[in-house]
Amino acid sequence: MARAVAILKRRENVAPGHYLLELSCPEIARSAEPGQFVHLRVGDGTDPLLRRPFSVMLTRPSAGEVQVLVRTVGRGTELIADHEVGTRYDLLGPLGHGWRLPEATENVMLVAGGVGVAPLIFLADHLRTAEPKPYVRAIFGGATEDALACWTEFASRCEEFTAVTEDGTAGETGMATDVLASEIERDRPDRVYACGPDAMLVVVAGICRQAEVAMQASMEQWMGCGVGACLGCAIPAAGGGYVRVCTEGPVFAAEEIDWERMTPR
Amino acid sequence: MARAVAILKRRENVAPGHYLLELSCPEIARSAEPGQFVHLRVGDGTDPLLRRPFSVMLTRPSAGEVQVLVRTVGRGTELIADHEVGTRYDLLGPLGHGWRLPEATENVMLVAGGVGVAPLIFLADHLRTAEPKPYVRAIFGGATEDALACWTEFASRCEEFTAVTEDGTAGETGMATDVLASEIERDRPDRVYACGPDAMLVVVAGICRQAEVAMQASMEQWMGCGVGACLGCAIPAAGGGYVRVCTEGPVFAAEEIDWERMTPR
Amino acid sequence: MTGSSPDLSVEIAGIRMKNPVMSASGTLGYGTEYEPYLDLSALGAMVTKAVTLEPREGNRPPRVRETPAGMLNAIGLQNPGAEAFIEEKLPEMRRFGVPVIANISGRSIEEFATLAEMLSVEGVDGLEVNISCPNVEEEGMYFGVDCELTGELTAAVVAATELPVIVKLSPNVTDICAIARAATEAGADALSLVNTLVGMSIDVEARRPHLGNITGGLSGPAIRPVAVRMVWEVAREVDIPIIGMGGIMAAGHALEFILAGATAVAVGTANFVEPATMQQVIDGLASYCRRHGVSRITELVGALEID
Amino acid sequence: MTGSSPDLSVEIAGIRMKNPVMSASGTLGYGTEYEPYLDLSALGAMVTKAVTLEPREGNRPPRVRETPAGMLNAIGLQNPGAEAFIEEKLPEMRRFGVPVIANISGRSIEEFATLAEMLSVEGVDGLEVNISCPNVEEEGMYFGVDCELTGELTAAVVAATELPVIVKLSPNVTDICAIARAATEAGADALSLVNTLVGMSIDVEARRPHLGNITGGLSGPAIRPVAVRMVWEVAREVDIPIIGMGGIMAAGHALEFILAGATAVAVGTANFVEPATMQQVIDGLASYCRRHGVSRITELVGALEID
Ligand SMILES: Cc1cc2nc3c(=O)[nH]c(=O)nc-3n(C[C@H](O)[C@H](O)[C@H](O)COP(=O)(O)OP(=O)(O)OC[C@H]3O[C@@H](n4cnc5c(N)ncnc54)[C@H](O)[C@@H]3O)c2cc1C
Ligand SMILES: Cc1cc2nc3c(=O)[nH]c(=O)nc-3n(C[C@H](O)[C@H](O)[C@H](O)COP(=O)(O)OP(=O)(O)OC[C@H]3O[C@@H](n4cnc5c(N)ncnc54)[C@H](O)[C@@H]3O)c2cc1C
Ligand SMILES: Cc1cc2nc3c(=O)[nH]c(=O)nc-3n(C[C@H](O)[C@H](O)[C@H](O)COP(=O)(O)O)c2cc1C
Ligand SMILES: Cc1cc2nc3c(=O)[nH]c(=O)nc-3n(C[C@H](O)[C@H](O)[C@H](O)COP(=O)(O)O)c2cc1C
Ligand code: FES
Ligand code: FES
């Protein structure tokens, strides 16, 4: 947890509205753990004003390199999409608590929705070299093919991989959560790791509770400080009150969250 | 008076804190008259928010080219100083009323202070091809050599040229206004054209009134709209009330302005 | 317009507008200044710069200054006065064939009433009573922050004219709803909100205020959250139409005001930044309606969902 | 510090600070969160997040949202309560060796008084009375917009503690000077202004407010002109020291407040943007003083030149 300067080495438009940033940032590359994020300042003015949080997708410590996958949804991400190679970013990180790793021999399931794939790619990459190695299955869902950015990076790091789109433009047709349910039927995993839209995570949490499968989820919330000071990134905690996505999270055990109150209005 | 898109073809750091922009903008190149300005939007966001006014320094109608000299004084100009070749600017112009040209055979004096040289270079360039040609003398003053950006472009377009700096780092030592006074002594011009800091213009106006030399000045004021609608760019008018720099000006005959009230607080 | 295009027309106190987008007072001059950049005949309505009884010189310069995502202005109601307005400016504004609303500002209730009478002429479609101009001492501000005075002033203007009376409120108050109620109960046909927030900025090198008037009115995107909040609060208190304004730069911003309860919106500072803003907002509203299957823009007024 | 360095020290109601730069309540957590990014021992003082009698869960999410050059927040006074604060948080904050000012927020005058008593402990150097937190209904807001209540509340707190009492004013009022006078006459030792402006923003696609609390407090550069204006107005009305805040991102902004009449300044939202802001402001103030031959920063307080 410190501040760092990252220099944009490469920017690739990996899918419509999705940009893969290759950043040179030795500190983060060395210290980031799967599931952690960086809080990045876009520009040096007031538009945008606040930093923007992005999960670390991959690191190459030896090369001092960090990869981040950015989906354009507004002002900040659209500016990033236009940045030239050589752009310098001021960022805070690595921030938050990442995935708690499985017992070695476990059979784990990774469930990604859209750009939520980023922290799961990092996890899958990490698990590849775990000793002895857990068996890793993955489900990657999106509205259309366009939402499955970096799916090869994801698939190539898992033993089994299922892509699913709502419109059937890629992989199976349907929702990631449907696939999860049938996969649990077929071969119950010991643990589920999920990241994606709240709506998806709520359903995944429901399925896992039912099937009594341990689950961790990487959550999102609009952020102020990113370091635990402003209490802006609160989400409902199990048993009442709130937890901070930036500090207690972004990765939480399913039991820590009040999924009832998480349900999108 | 219309809107145009200008594309940055070349950006040269002609002096410390001074940038010469070569813009491709056929409409402005064709229609701009000496003393007119363009109202340029820096970026497409809210930082900065308002457009920034800049005088046209030179045009090459055939090439559809416009030159602007920018001195960095704040947010907008500093952003401009960093813009890459190829940057597209949205601008309004040419705006305002330019220099009223002299009777052909006149003996005219151009007095420039710092970046105020821009509209006078355009005027000098214009007078070069006037038929029959007026005799053009010029004085270019600044605090130091660094403030005499584009002096060669200026000098090369005048019959006589005197540079003057307060610290003597270039040309004579002193103020442009001192040189003007002695030049009027030596050989009284029929008309003086001046652009520079308010403090300088006030003194020039005083000298010209004394010596009964006709004078025109290009004035500055913070602007809102740039087109006459907001009444934001007011400066004191002779006989009371105010005139709009963006519409009645930026070039005014000395008699139109209340130099008393112009005197910097 | 094809059959499928949504109906953007709205009515504010009897003033029919083909769309809800108007110019904010003091930001479009008298229209002509923007002719080269914008088809003014496409607007829902045009609002004039404040008109006063006598001509006004306005404040000493500098009069405008940029601030973060906003600007301060202290123009000081510079205008040629009611007579000159009617003779010289009004005919110019009529040319565009859209409703013209005269923004009036007076020093006393009597002056407001006299102005209202004078401006009740052919070609003026409504009056916007500027009880909140923050730039001239002892004037607008004085009325707009007090319920009683707001009521008296409104009643006096309503009595002096047959025209629809729109009262423009100041955001520089503790309880905007109380002022809104006072104006409504006194007979206002509609409300405009908000005017500018009183602000100030300083040149720290010179140790002087940037504005010749020391303080000025803050406008632009910076104040939008405050303006939207006030429209939302007032819309739930009164049942006369509201014209919302404050930092509108795009259709999405206009929609914030409409969803919060505004029947129409006005664009001010954005005109200086992008002269085509009002056209862009009109087009953006139409496409939003299409995208969301909204056949009448009026369906969106106050349609904010709260649980 | 070399002999030639300017003296940045100031005193606010007996609280000695080595420089005029403090953290704004609720934006620096309890300090520890920022340890990796900033040397907190360099600050003039630290102000806590609001402390309430009982623990508070805070408001439903989302709680923050960016707006043009600003942000809306509706945290809702989430805090562990006075006891836990004193036992767990205060010792942490003491470690940095700078004055700690506790920001207190209550539901009733009694609760404020009780809080003031409870927090009058070793290690708390002053109390900032938050009569203006705009996020919790029937609370802060309720006091801060009324002169009488502000007076009563201030008097009650002053009577309940030996500590310096700083009253933090709400900008959401018609007459900030009246409130300032009320607090001063009731015995306040200093004033903090401003708290956040009440604002709101809307997700037009979802037709819902961005914040779970619907409205929130607007902070950041967007509000700076309003904050500077209020400090300037109040500084000419009262003779107790003022802590100025609202959109300070750099030394130049802090100087606007100081020239307008603030003895000290607080940095809030900027901490989220750039954790080193407070250090940068301190350094910038020193170099400004050198550049302008100012030997004591206090010489600049209220040094704005008006003619
Ligand atoms: C811990 C964490 C990790 C994240 N990792 C990634 C990532 O790896 N890749 C990626 O593309 N995005 C990621 N996000 C989301 C990303 O931070 C937002 O999309 C981004 O901040 C939007 O900025 P903007 O200026 O483009 O959008 P804005 O203009 O600020 O807002 C546009 C829309 O984006 C959405 N949005 C804005 N901020 C957030 C936020 N903090 N969380 C969720 N939605 C938001 C809202 O719907 C908003 O209406 C992450 C968010 C969090 C909290
Ligand atoms: C008609 C006209 C023609 C101009 N021509 C030129 C030109 O050819 N080259 C050039 O470099 N500059 C020119 N200027 C000045 C130029 O517009 C300002 O320097 C510029 O707008 C500053 O923008 P900024 O964002 O960098 O500064 P800001 O951050 O906005 O302000 C920084 C400082 O710049 C000064 N400033 C800001 N706006 C203006 C303004 N409109 N007029 C005068 N001073 C201002 C103020 O002292 C301010 O404190 C002209 C101004 C006018 C009115
Ligand atoms: C330069 C300028 C002049 C203005 N003049 C007036 C005026 O004469 N009368 C009035 O009621 N409001 C006046 N206003 C306020 C605007 O009409 C509008 O209420 C305010 O600017 C908020 O809208 P905006 O943020 O879109 O600019 C003026 C605003 C600006 C920026
Ligand atoms: C996230 C956040 C939380 C805040 N919490 C408090 C608080 O608990 N008590 C209080 O008096 N002010 C609180 N404030 C207001 C700030 O202390 C400050 O008055 C205001 O934000 C203006 O300063 P700024 O623009 O520098 O942020 C909070 C502000 C923010 C942004
Ligand atoms: S973003 Fe500030 S506490 Fe999490
Ligand atoms: S800048 Fe608006 S009238 Fe001149």
Side-chain angles (χ1 to χ4, degrees):
Chain A
M1 181 159 89
R3 73 184 307 146
V5 170
I7 294 157
L8 182 59
K9 289 294 172 198
R10 207 168 64 83
R11 194 199 66 220
E12 191 189 345
N13 187 184
V14 290
H18 291 73
Y19 296 82
L20 178 62
L21 309 185
E22 224 167 78
L23 303 167
S24 165
C25 188
E27 304 90 322
I28 306 287
R30 204 181 311 110
S31 54
E33 285 165 14
Q36 288 189 298
F37 70 97
V38 293
H39 211 27
L40 180 149
R41 185 164 184 193
V42 184
D44 62 356
T46 61
D47 181 19
L49 180 68
L50 299 171
R51 291 168 179 270
R52 299 293 192 253
F54 297 98
S55 301
V56 174
M57 183 178 109
L58 277 175
T59 60
R60 294 213 348 254
S62 54
E65 216 175 76
V66 176
Q67 287 188 14
V68 171
L69 177 63
V70 174
R71 178 172 150 251
T72 55
V73 297
R75 176 75 179 161
T77 48
E78 266 146 28
L79 284 170
I80 290 171
D82 285 340
H83 283 158
E84 311 281 336
V85 165
T87 301
R88 296 166 64 86
Y89 295 105
D90 171 325
L91 48 81
L92 310 179
L95 297 174
H97 290 92
W99 307 105
R100 267 132 283 176
L101 299 181
E103 315 304 316
T105 58
E106 277 182 1
N107 166 343
V108 304
M109 173 71 76
L110 279 43
V111 184
V115 74
V117 72
L120 289 167
I121 290 177
F122 199 0
L123 174 62
D125 188 69
H126 203 80
L127 296 180
R128 265 203 312 189
T129 57
E131 248 325 321
K133 193 181 168 322
Y135 186 77
V136 179
R137 286 183 290 168
I139 302 167
F140 190 6
T144 75
E145 180 178 21
D146 298 348
L148 302 188
C150 297
W151 73 268
T152 49
E153 285 80 352
F154 194 23
S156 63
R157 291 174 166 81
C158 308
E159 273 72 43
E160 291 180 32
F161 177 81
T162 312
V164 51
T165 55
E166 291 170 34
D167 65 356
T169 44
E172 301 183 11
T173 304
M175 313 281 271
T177 46
D178 307 332
V179 180
L180 174 63
S182 53
E183 280 293 307
I184 290 180
E185 279 292 301
R186 184 169 70 78
D187 172 5
R188 190 175 165 293
D190 302 300
R191 193 180 298 275
V192 167
Y193 294 93
C195 183
D198 289 349
M200 179 193 100
L201 295 175
V202 168
V203 178
V204 171
I207 293 172
C208 291
R209 195 183 325 96
Q210 270 254 314
E212 292 174 346
V213 175
M215 170 196 175
Q216 290 176 37
S218 177
M219 310 295 291
E220 285 196 8
Q221 181 58 281
W222 301 339
M223 290 188 173
C225 66
V227 300
C230 74
L231 309 181
C233 62
I235 59 170
Y242 300 95
V243 282
R244 296 166 297 180
V245 167
C246 72
T247 310
E248 285 80 41
V251 173
F252 295 89
E255 311 78 59
E256 301 176 81
I257 292 167
D258 181 339
W259 294 102
E260 263 310 312
R261 288 188 288 156
M262 273 303 299
T263 311
R265 304 173 295 185
Chain B
M1 180 159 86
R3 72 185 307 144
V5 170
I7 294 157
L8 182 58
K9 289 295 173 197
R10 206 168 64 84
R11 194 198 68 222
E12 191 188 345
N13 187 183
V14 289
H18 291 73
Y19 295 82
L20 178 62
L21 308 185
E22 224 167 78
L23 303 167
S24 165
C25 188
E27 305 88 323
I28 306 287
R30 205 180 313 111
S31 53
E33 286 166 17
Q36 288 189 298
F37 70 98
V38 293
H39 211 27
L40 180 147
R41 185 164 184 194
V42 184
D44 63 356
T46 61
D47 181 20
L49 180 68
L50 298 171
R51 289 168 179 268
R52 299 295 191 250
F54 298 98
S55 300
V56 174
M57 183 178 108
L58 279 174
T59 61
R60 294 214 348 254
S62 53
E65 215 174 76
V66 176
Q67 288 188 14
V68 172
L69 176 63
V70 175
R71 177 171 152 252
T72 55
V73 297
R75 178 76 179 160
T77 49
E78 266 145 27
L79 284 170
I80 290 172
D82 286 339
H83 283 159
E84 311 281 336
V85 165
T87 301
R88 295 167 64 87
Y89 295 105
D90 170 327
L91 47 80
L92 310 180
L95 298 173
H97 290 92
W99 307 104
R100 268 132 280 176
L101 300 182
E103 316 303 315
T105 58
E106 278 182 0
N107 166 343
V108 304
M109 172 71 76
L110 278 43
V111 184
V115 75
V117 72
L120 289 168
I121 289 177
F122 198 1
L123 175 61
D125 188 69
H126 203 82
L127 295 179
R128 266 204 312 190
T129 58
E131 248 324 323
K133 196 185 163 322
Y135 186 77
V136 180
R137 287 182 291 168
I139 303 168
F140 190 6
T144 74
E145 180 179 21
D146 298 347
L148 301 187
C150 295
W151 74 267
T152 49
E153 285 79 353
F154 194 22
S156 63
R157 291 173 166 82
C158 307
E159 274 71 46
E160 291 179 35
F161 177 82
T162 314
V164 51
T165 55
E166 291 170 32
D167 65 356
T169 44
E172 301 184 12
T173 303
M175 313 280 272
T177 46
D178 307 332
V179 180
L180 173 63
S182 54
E183 280 293 307
I184 290 182
E185 279 289 301
R186 183 168 73 77
D187 172 6
R188 190 174 164 294
D190 302 301
R191 192 179 302 272
V192 167
Y193 294 94
C195 183
D198 289 348
M200 177 193 102
L201 295 175
V202 168
V203 178
V204 171
I207 294 172
C208 290
R209 195 182 326 96
Q210 268 253 316
E212 292 174 347
V213 176
M215 170 196 175
Q216 289 175 39
S218 178
M219 311 296 291
E220 285 196 8
Q221 181 57 281
W222 301 341
M223 289 188 174
C225 66
V227 301
C230 73
L231 309 181
C233 62
I235 59 171
Y242 299 95
V243 282
R244 295 167 297 181
V245 167
C246 72
T247 309
E248 285 80 44
V251 174
F252 295 90
E255 311 77 56
E256 301 176 82
I257 291 167
D258 181 340
W259 295 101
E260 263 312 310
R261 287 187 289 157
M262 272 304 299
T263 310
R265 302 175 293 184
Chain C
M1 303 228 296
T2 81
S4 80
S5 337
D7 176 4
L8 295 184
S9 69
V10 299
E11 188 174 314
I12 294 272
I15 305 167
R16 288 214 171 63
M17 312 183 355
K18 56 171 119 32
N19 63 62
V21 182
M22 14 197 301
S23 63
S25 175
T27 65
L28 200 71
Y30 299 99
T32 48
E33 295 84 351
Y34 276 102
E35 256 185 297
Y37 311 103
L38 177 69
D39 172 10
L40 292 133
S41 67
L43 303 184
M46 285 169 72
V47 180
T48 71
K49 167 78 183 165
V51 177
T52 56
L53 206 47
E54 304 302 325
R56 294 280 184 89
E57 278 190 358
N59 292 331
R60 74 187 266 194
R63 291 177 171 184
V64 295
R65 179 69 188 173
E66 182 161 329
T67 65
M71 69 180 278
L72 287 167
N73 90 82
I75 307 302
L77 302 183
Q78 179 178 339
N79 84 101
E83 272 179 24
F85 165 75
I86 292 167
E87 276 154 38
E88 296 151 32
K89 307 296 186 181
L90 186 55
E92 285 293 306
M93 295 182 85
R94 299 303 311 163
R95 289 188 297 110
F96 307 108
V98 307
V100 171
I101 294 165
N103 179 278
I104 59 172
S105 188
R107 289 204 166 85
S108 65
I109 291 185
E110 295 62 40
E111 199 172 305
F112 266 106
T114 316
L115 265 169
E117 259 182 79
M118 283 181 70
L119 289 166
S120 301
V121 296
E122 173 65 36
V124 174
D125 301 286
L127 300 179
E128 184 179 57
V129 186
N130 174 10
I131 63 172
S132 50
C133 180
N135 298 335
V136 182
E137 269 149 6
E138 290 303 292
E139 199 173 52
M141 197 58 166
Y142 179 75
F143 293 104
V145 299
D146 181 282
C147 289
E148 266 185 41
L149 279 167
T150 299
E152 288 176 37
L153 174 55
T154 305
V157 172
V158 168
T161 183
E162 295 292 302
L163 294 173
V165 173
I166 303 159
V167 175
K168 184 168 183 179
L169 307 185
S170 165
N172 304 287
V173 297
T174 304
D175 183 355
I176 189 80
C177 291
I179 307 279
R181 276 194 305 270
T184 308
E185 285 155 13
D189 302 295
L191 299 174
S192 278
L193 52 157
V194 298
N195 208 314
T196 54
L197 284 161
V198 182
M200 169 178 186
S201 78
I202 293 172
D203 179 337
V204 299
E205 293 304 316
R207 296 186 197 173
R208 294 186 164 283
H210 278 125
L211 298 183
N213 190 57
I214 304 176
T215 63
L218 182 63
S219 64
I223 71 168
R224 195 168 61 237
V226 174
V228 170
R229 184 263 301 182
M230 288 185 166
V231 166
W232 181 71
E233 286 179 351
V234 169
R236 297 184 312 161
E237 285 273 332
V238 305
D239 46 21
I240 57 176
I242 292 170
I243 301 166
M245 69 197 79
I248 295 174
M249 305 273 290
H253 308 150
L255 284 159
E256 286 193 64
F257 283 91
I258 292 169
L259 292 168
T263 300
V265 296
V267 175
T269 302
N271 296 316
F272 309 153
V273 177
E274 171 48 70
T277 301
M278 290 188 283
Q279 186 61 64
Q280 292 167 359
V281 170
I282 294 165
D283 299 342
L285 290 177
S287 57
Y288 178 93
C289 288
R290 277 192 217 91
R291 219 162 5 95
H292 290 259
V294 173
S295 55
R296 283 203 176 61
I297 189 97
T298 48
E299 294 166 25
L300 296 173
V301 177
L304 185 69
E305 290 166 28
I306 308 284
D307 37 31
Chain D
M1 304 230 297
T2 79
S4 82
S5 344
D7 176 4
L8 295 185
S9 68
V10 298
E11 189 175 314
I12 295 272
I15 304 168
R16 288 215 170 63
M17 316 188 341
K18 57 171 119 31
N19 63 63
V21 182
M22 18 198 298
S23 62
S25 175
T27 64
L28 200 71
Y30 298 100
T32 48
E33 294 85 350
Y34 276 101
E35 258 186 294
Y37 310 102
L38 177 69
D39 172 10
L40 292 135
S41 66
L43 303 184
M46 284 168 72
V47 180
T48 71
K49 168 77 183 167
V51 177
T52 56
L53 206 48
E54 302 303 325
R56 294 282 185 87
E57 278 190 358
N59 291 330
R60 74 187 266 195
R63 292 177 171 184
V64 294
R65 180 69 189 175
E66 182 160 329
T67 65
M71 70 179 279
L72 288 168
N73 90 81
I75 308 302
L77 302 184
Q78 180 179 337
N79 83 103
E83 272 178 23
F85 165 76
I86 293 167
E87 276 152 39
E88 296 150 32
K89 306 297 185 182
L90 186 55
E92 283 294 305
M93 295 183 85
R94 299 303 313 162
R95 290 188 296 107
F96 307 108
V98 307
V100 171
I101 295 166
N103 180 276
I104 59 171
S105 189
R107 288 204 165 86
S108 64
I109 291 186
E110 296 62 39
E111 199 173 305
F112 266 106
T114 315
L115 264 169
E117 259 181 79
M118 284 181 69
L119 289 166
S120 299
V121 296
E122 173 64 35
V124 174
D125 301 286
L127 299 180
E128 185 178 59
V129 186
N130 175 10
I131 62 173
S132 51
C133 180
N135 298 335
V136 182
E137 267 150 10
E138 287 306 290
E139 202 174 52
M141 199 56 171
Y142 177 76
F143 292 105
V145 299
D146 182 282
C147 290
E148 267 184 38
L149 280 167
T150 299
E152 288 174 36
L153 173 57
T154 304
V157 171
V158 168
T161 183
E162 295 292 301
L163 293 173
V165 173
I166 303 159
V167 175
K168 184 167 182 181
L169 307 185
S170 165
N172 304 289
V173 296
T174 303
D175 184 354
I176 189 80
C177 291
I179 307 281
R181 276 193 306 270
T184 307
E185 285 155 13
D189 300 296
L191 300 174
S192 278
L193 52 160
V194 298
N195 208 315
T196 54
L197 284 161
V198 182
M200 170 178 184
S201 78
I202 293 171
D203 179 336
V204 299
E205 293 304 316
R207 297 187 197 173
R208 295 186 164 282
H210 278 125
L211 299 182
N213 189 59
I214 305 177
T215 62
L218 182 64
S219 64
I223 72 168
R224 194 167 63 235
V226 175
V228 170
R229 185 263 302 180
M230 288 185 166
V231 166
W232 181 72
E233 285 178 352
V234 170
R236 298 184 312 161
E237 285 271 333
V238 304
D239 45 23
I240 57 176
I242 293 170
I243 301 165
M245 69 197 79
I248 295 175
M249 305 273 290
H253 307 151
L255 284 160
E256 286 193 65
F257 283 92
I258 291 169
L259 291 169
T263 301
V265 295
V267 175
T269 301
N271 297 317
F272 309 153
V273 178
E274 171 49 68
T277 301
M278 289 188 284
Q279 185 61 62
Q280 292 167 359
V281 170
I282 294 165
D283 299 343
L285 289 178
S287 58
Y288 177 93
C289 288
R290 279 195 213 87
R291 219 160 8 90
H292 289 259
V294 173
S295 54
R296 283 203 175 61
I297 189 96
T298 49
E299 293 166 27
L300 295 174
V301 176
L304 185 70
E305 290 167 28
I306 307 284
D307 40 29

